[in-house]
């Protein structure tokens, strides 16, 4: 099987890049004949445009040589850009897989005008298979395309070695783009109330986005001693902070299947998140983590307080979180499903 995969530059920050990196870290390129083309980066406008042009040229040079075109796609501009690749691939009679990552796809589609909606639906229907990250997203996309085309493959990770976890620290971790969607402002507000009774509590927040706004909020609430902004963290630094934290908190308003949450659970953090996207398929409330409604700051406060006061509950959720990732979100299972999908398309 010869697979041509398209997606962001592997230096781009975000969950889509993490998925691609995990494929390569596990050795997908050794199991199939795989070429990866970078079609976008997160640099300035000039470098972004240059990467798009280079990606398009590389795609046109290689598309005839491959059996399956596997395209990683998010919402908004990503959909309109990748739609062009889909149409070119079909002109060459290639099998196309669209791998949907956009956490705000519903919002994006509702914002489209009628002409744009027709383009999006046509793009989706041109694909031979569509990979989505959860059953909830399968239900949504089944309204737009033939459900037979849709395959659920959870995001997954290369499982880190098991570790002895110190759950006595009051270290909270947040990873993601700073902004309303990921719930960082809700989290800071809740932490500002918690430190009244837990003065040693520390929030470590890694990410980019609305950094100045987050910094201003921290300063306004006199929280400089309790909140540390880490910037965008990767590699060994990311592993270190995942090991040193006791809690991973992601109070998002929209998600697909957040890689950072799965990573937090793999490192035995006590995880709190919201009932959006595929998260309810990851967290079983009060079994391997805690689920709240997005925007429910009172519930977030009470959940954290309860966990800070209950070591036995922390240990239970921590152990079950790790077990969940071992059983459901191990990259080995993900790769097997993906290769099965490739084989199915090649045999069709």
């Amino acid at each position: 099987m010869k697979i041509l995969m398209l997606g962001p530059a592997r230096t781009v920050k975000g969950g889509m890049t993490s998925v691609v990196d995990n494929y390569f870290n596990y050795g997908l390129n050794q199991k199939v004949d795989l070429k990866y083309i970078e079609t976008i980066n997160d640099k300035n406008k000039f470098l972004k445009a240059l990467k798009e042009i280079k990606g398009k040229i590389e795609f046109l040079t290689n598309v005839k040589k491959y059996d399956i075109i596997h395209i990683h796609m998010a919402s908004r501009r990503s959909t309109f850009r990748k739609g062009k690749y889909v149409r070119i691939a079909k002109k060459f009679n290639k099998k196309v897989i669209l791998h949907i990552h956009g956490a705000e796809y519903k919002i994006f589609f509702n914002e489209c005008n009628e002409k744009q909606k027709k383009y999006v639906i046509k793009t989706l229907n041109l694909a031979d298979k569509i990979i989505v990250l959860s059953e909830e997203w399968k239900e949504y996309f089944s309204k737009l395309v033939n459900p037979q085309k849709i395959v659920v493959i959870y995001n997954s990770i290369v499982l880190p070695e098991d570790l002895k976890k110190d759950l006595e620290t009051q270290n909270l971790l947040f990873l993601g783009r700073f902004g309303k969607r990921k719930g960082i402002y809700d989290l800071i507000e809740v932490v500002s109330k918690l430190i009244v009774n837990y003065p040693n509590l520390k929030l470590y927040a890694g990410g980019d986005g609305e950094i100045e706004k987050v910094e201003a909020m921290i300063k306004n609430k006199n929280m400089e001693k309790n909140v540390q902004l880490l910037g965008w963290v990767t590699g060994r630094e990311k592993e270190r902070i995942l090991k040193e934290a006791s809690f991973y908190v992601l109070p998002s308003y929209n998600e697909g299947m957040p890689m950072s949450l799965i990573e937090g659970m793999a490192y035995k953090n006590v995880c709190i998140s919201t009932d959006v996207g595929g998260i309810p398929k990851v967290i079983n409330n009060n079994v391997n983590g805690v689920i709240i409604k997005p925007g429910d700051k009172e519930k977030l406060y009470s959940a954290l307080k309860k966990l800070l006061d209950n070591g036995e509950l922390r240990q239970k959720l921590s152990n079950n979180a790790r077990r969940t990732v071992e059983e459901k979100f191990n990259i080995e299972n993900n790769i097997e499903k993906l290769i099965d999908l490739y084989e199915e398309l090649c045999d069709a």
Side-chain angles (χ1 to χ4, degrees):
M1 292 181 292
K2 294 173 69 65
I3 314 298
L4 187 62
M5 186 177 288
L6 278 64
R10 291 177 64 189
T11 55
V12 170
K13 305 167 180 121
M16 196 186 299
T17 305
S18 296
V19 170
V20 173
D21 282 344
N22 282 333
Y23 285 163
F24 279 91
N25 290 339
Y26 186 75
L28 176 61
N29 54 317
Q30 295 169 6
K31 296 177 181 294
V32 298
D33 186 346
L34 175 65
K35 179 177 178 62
Y36 186 75
I37 294 178
E38 298 179 347
T39 62
I40 192 68
N41 59 31
D42 55 359
K43 308 298 182 183
N44 60 48
K45 288 184 178 180
F46 173 75
L47 292 176
K48 222 178 240 189
L50 188 61
K51 173 63 78 174
E52 285 190 47
I53 293 168
K54 286 184 175 179
K56 192 102 175 254
I57 293 170
E58 191 175 4
F59 175 72
L60 290 169
T61 304
N62 285 278
V63 64
K64 292 180 181 179
K65 306 172 188 175
Y66 289 83
D67 305 310
I68 297 172
I69 315 300
H70 182 161
I71 302 174
H72 294 276
M73 187 175 86
S75 57
R76 298 187 170 87
R77 189 167 178 267
S78 176
T79 291
F80 296 117
R81 285 191 302 104
K82 298 299 175 55
K84 297 174 183 177
Y85 287 100
V86 173
R87 284 158 174 77
I88 293 169
K90 296 313 291 184
K91 284 183 180 178
F92 288 98
N93 295 315
K94 300 299 177 179
K95 302 290 186 180
V96 173
I97 296 172
L98 280 177
H99 198 146
I100 310 290
H101 297 266
E104 294 188 317
Y105 216 94
K106 296 177 189 178
I107 296 172
F108 152 67
F109 188 76
N110 289 336
E111 290 173 347
C112 288
N113 58 40
E114 288 307 310
K115 183 178 180 181
Q116 290 170 330
K117 285 180 178 177
K118 287 180 181 178
Y119 182 89
V120 173
I121 291 171
K122 176 88 178 285
T123 298
L124 295 171
N125 278 280
L126 282 170
D128 296 276
K129 291 290 181 179
I130 296 173
I131 297 174
V132 296
L133 308 182
S134 70
E135 285 77 6
E136 287 75 14
W137 281 111
K138 180 176 182 177
E139 182 180 349
Y140 173 74
F141 280 99
S142 293
K143 300 171 185 175
L144 305 178
V145 299
N146 182 346
Q148 298 291 330
K149 289 189 174 191
I150 302 173
V151 180
V152 178
I153 299 182
Y154 295 148
N155 280 346
S156 55
I157 65 170
V158 178
L159 200 67
E161 289 186 9
D162 202 353
L163 69 152
K164 290 184 178 179
K165 189 72 171 181
D166 181 5
L167 295 172
E168 295 303 315
T169 74
Q170 296 180 353
N171 294 341
L172 277 62
L173 178 61
F174 169 95
L175 297 173
R177 189 144 284 146
F178 294 167
K180 182 180 178 182
R181 181 175 76 84
K182 291 282 187 180
I184 184 63
Y185 302 117
D186 292 348
L187 180 55
I188 291 172
E189 189 171 329
V190 168
V191 168
S192 73
K193 295 176 180 177
L194 283 168
I195 59 178
V196 174
N197 296 313
Y198 304 91
N200 295 323
L201 187 148
K202 295 237 2 185
L203 169 61
Y204 296 90
D208 61 1
E210 298 173 2
I211 295 174
E212 292 181 1
K213 190 174 177 180
V214 170
E215 288 175 336
M217 186 176 184
I218 293 167
K219 186 175 181 180
N220 185 54
K221 292 181 176 293
N222 298 313
M223 297 172 64
E224 291 95 334
K225 292 182 180 179
N226 296 92
V227 183
Q228 183 177 342
L229 303 185
L230 306 172
W232 193 273
V233 290
T234 58
R236 291 186 177 179
E237 176 65 7
K238 186 177 182 181
E239 292 175 13
R240 182 186 67 78
I241 61 173
L242 282 163
K243 288 177 180 177
E244 293 179 0
S246 293
F247 301 87
Y248 184 77
V249 189
L250 188 69
S252 298
Y253 285 75
N254 286 292
E255 284 290 355
M257 180 71 76
M259 291 291 293
S260 64
L261 179 61
I262 297 170
E263 290 168 340
M265 295 171 72
Y267 282 90
K268 291 188 172 180
N269 288 286
V270 179
C271 293
I272 303 175
S273 195
T274 51
D275 61 348
V276 298
I279 292 173
K281 295 298 179 185
V282 183
I283 294 183
N284 185 355
N285 193 34
N286 291 319
V287 176
N288 61 359
V290 176
I291 289 265
I292 62 170
K293 294 288 182 184
D296 192 342
K297 289 175 277 190
E298 289 184 8
K299 186 67 174 178
L300 180 56
Y301 174 89
S302 62
L304 279 167
K305 186 177 187 305
K306 180 179 179 180
L307 289 164
L308 286 163
D309 293 338
N310 191 330
E312 186 177 340
L313 180 58
R314 291 198 301 272
Q315 192 65 61
K316 169 193 162 185
L317 300 186
S318 169
N319 290 339
N320 287 341
R322 170 73 185 201
R323 191 173 299 116
T324 296
V325 177
E326 290 174 347
E327 293 174 355
K328 293 180 68 176
F329 303 102
N330 190 331
I331 189 71
E332 185 175 349
N333 299 329
N334 184 301
I335 293 294
E336 286 178 5
K337 288 182 180 179
L338 188 57
I339 291 175
D340 286 346
L341 183 60
Y342 289 158
E343 290 176 346
E344 177 187 339
L345 284 179
C346 283
D347 293 340

